[in-house]
């Protein structure tokens, strides 16, 4: 079983910054890759950032240049650094972690975590 726990959300003024964390729990050998998603009120969940096992990153156009995804495999944690936050960034942010359970097997989290809420307003 693989479980994730998001944290670091809060209320921030436009132009401010937050750093979200995603810790992965369970029985596995290593953390391989992480996706960050967000869901704004009344909208579908969208992927905003990805980091692969090789360290390659990808971002949604709406956050490119402002968000940075990183991973610390030693602590089984991914971070989403969010700078120059805008009201449109207001959402609940979720992570999905991919772990290596055997030498040749990689699995994602069994279910979505509770997410962490980010509110950008004056």
């Amino acid at each position: 079983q693989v479980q994730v726990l998001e944290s670091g959300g809060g209320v921030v003024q436009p132009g401010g910054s937050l750093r979200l964390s995603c810790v992965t729990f369970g029985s596995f050998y290593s953390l391989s890759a992480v996706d960050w998603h967000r869901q704004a009120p009344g909208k579908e969940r969208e992927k905003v950032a990805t980091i692969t096992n090789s360290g390659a990153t990808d971002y949604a156009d709406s956050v490119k240049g402002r968000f940075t995804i990183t991973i610390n495999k030693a602590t089984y944690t991914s971070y989403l650094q969010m700078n120059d936050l805008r009201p449109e960034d207001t959402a609940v942010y979720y992570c999905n972690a991919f772990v290596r359970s055997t030498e040749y097997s990689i699995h994602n989290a069994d279910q979505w975590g509770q997410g962490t809420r980010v509110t950008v307003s004056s």
Side-chain angles (χ1 to χ4, degrees):
Q1 184 176 359
V2 181
Q3 184 180 99
V4 295
L5 179 62
E6 303 96 337
S7 63
V11 180
V12 65
Q13 293 184 328
S17 298
L18 286 172
R19 189 178 77 159
L20 308 184
S21 298
C22 171
V23 181
T24 304
F25 301 92
S27 181
F28 51 85
Y29 295 121
S30 62
L31 179 62
S32 182
V34 174
D35 296 340
W36 280 93
H37 305 247
R38 69 185 181 188
Q39 187 166 23
K43 301 185 69 176
E44 295 294 318
R45 189 171 301 186
E46 62 173 345
K47 185 165 66 176
V48 296
T50 296
I51 186 164
T52 70
N53 187 51
S54 66
T57 58
D58 190 32
Y59 301 92
D61 289 340
S62 58
V63 308
K64 194 172 299 182
R66 300 185 298 116
F67 290 13
T68 303
I69 184 172
T70 58
I71 190 168
N72 186 333
K73 295 183 178 182
T75 60
Y76 313 112
T77 305
S78 173
Y79 302 96
L80 185 67
Q81 178 67 46
M82 307 186 297
N83 298 325
D84 191 24
L85 284 163
R86 305 166 180 173
E88 65 192 53
D89 296 318
T90 295
V92 177
Y93 285 73
Y94 303 86
C95 66
N96 187 25
F98 298 81
V99 302
R100 185 174 299 279
S101 56
T102 70
E103 183 178 0
Y104 299 106
S105 181
I106 296 177
H107 296 97
N108 65 300
D110 294 299
Q111 62 188 71
W112 295 105
Q114 86 290 342
T116 185
R117 186 177 301 275
V118 172
T119 302
V120 184
S121 69
S122 300

